[in-house]
Amino acid sequence: LYNKLRNFEFDYIGGPTLAAEPIVASLLVHSYLMNEPMQGLIVRDKPNNHGLRKLVEGPIRAESKVVLLDDAINSGYSLFNAIETLNRSDLKVAGVLTIVDFFHVGHKKLLDSGIAADCIFHINEFGLNKNERIALKNIPNENSNQPDNYSDDGISNAESNAYKNSVQLNGSIYTIEREEFLMCLDEHTGYKKW
């Protein structure tokens, strides 16, 4: 991510809370260690119930340019909320940089809005196909061991539709849950690793 930031002209790096916070913080520390200190900010989705109740946290100056960082872009919901908040705070979005881009609605909306978008990984690099579905049978449900949680074919009712866009690799199953979240399951137990 640090090297990809060089493709943008900006005054700040920042992103929507909560996923972007560790990304922004680690890049700020790295920039300091590289003797190229950057300034950062975080965009809240709603103000705190205490303190200054600011939506943009950081040492901001009006008319400054911000590169928004996030873990992933799918629908673009959190990024577009952050963009609107930054615009209301008189800040300009210079671009968006994510770790994973699902190349779904959010990516297209960014480009249609004239906002440059870049990523480290494209979703297709994980071998995931949006139209592919796998069936996981006889996988225990980590929340309950009761048989009535399973359909006739042995797939957990709660998880029966959750495993489309999946790929198996090195004892793990990587899947997109509800077309929003990338998750990793243990191939043998079905329990979520992350």
Side-chain angles (χ1 to χ4, degrees):
L1 284 173
Y2 186 77
N3 289 333
K4 283 192 175 265
L5 282 170
R6 297 181 195 281
N7 298 328
F8 298 95
E9 184 180 324
F10 63 94
D11 302 301
Y12 297 97
I13 60 172
T17 194
L18 186 67
E21 290 179 15
I23 299 168
V24 171
S26 63
L27 287 171
L28 291 175
V29 169
H30 186 74
S31 73
Y32 177 79
L33 295 174
M34 300 298 293
N35 289 324
E36 301 175 328
M38 297 179 196
Q39 293 191 34
L41 56 86
I42 292 296
V43 183
R44 296 182 183 277
D45 55 348
K46 59 185 176 193
N48 276 346
N49 292 330
H50 58 281
L52 298 177
R53 301 183 48 81
K54 297 187 325 186
L55 287 174
V56 180
E57 295 286 349
I60 60 173
R61 291 181 320 273
E63 299 295 319
S64 295
K65 293 181 251 175
V66 179
V67 172
L68 276 178
L69 306 168
D70 210 351
D71 59 346
I73 180 170
N74 189 11
S75 69
Y77 179 80
S78 63
L79 283 170
F80 276 95
N81 283 342
I83 290 168
E84 288 177 24
T85 300
L86 291 172
N87 288 339
R88 285 192 308 266
S89 300
D90 205 21
L91 297 167
K92 310 270 186 227
V93 176
V96 170
L97 181 56
T98 61
I99 296 173
V100 178
D101 193 331
F102 286 82
F103 284 90
H104 202 258
V105 177
H107 184 92
K108 183 177 179 344
K109 284 180 5 185
L110 284 172
L111 296 180
D112 289 347
S113 300
I115 299 172
D118 199 1
C119 63
I120 302 298
F121 301 107
H122 299 190
I123 195 63
N124 60 357
E125 292 180 64
F126 292 101
L128 301 178
N129 180 338
K130 292 180 73 164
N131 299 317
E132 187 177 331
R133 190 178 284 273
I134 65 168
L136 300 175
K137 297 183 184 243
N138 302 317
I139 293 177
N141 183 333
E142 66 182 313
N143 299 321
S144 173
N145 291 323
Q146 297 179 9
D148 59 9
N149 284 337
Y150 290 86
S151 61
D152 292 337
D153 62 1
I155 299 173
S156 163
N157 290 330
E159 298 172 339
S160 62
N161 293 319
Y163 301 118
K164 68 180 187 177
N165 309 326
S166 302
V167 65
Q168 290 175 277
L169 180 67
N170 298 328
S172 296
I173 299 168
Y174 299 89
T175 184
I176 301 168
E177 182 178 5
R178 296 185 312 273
E179 294 194 15
E180 295 177 33
F181 305 101
L182 182 64
M183 74 173 173
C184 179
L185 306 173
D186 182 278
E187 183 176 30
H188 304 288
T189 65
Y191 292 161
K192 289 182 184 175
K193 290 183 176 181
W194 50 264

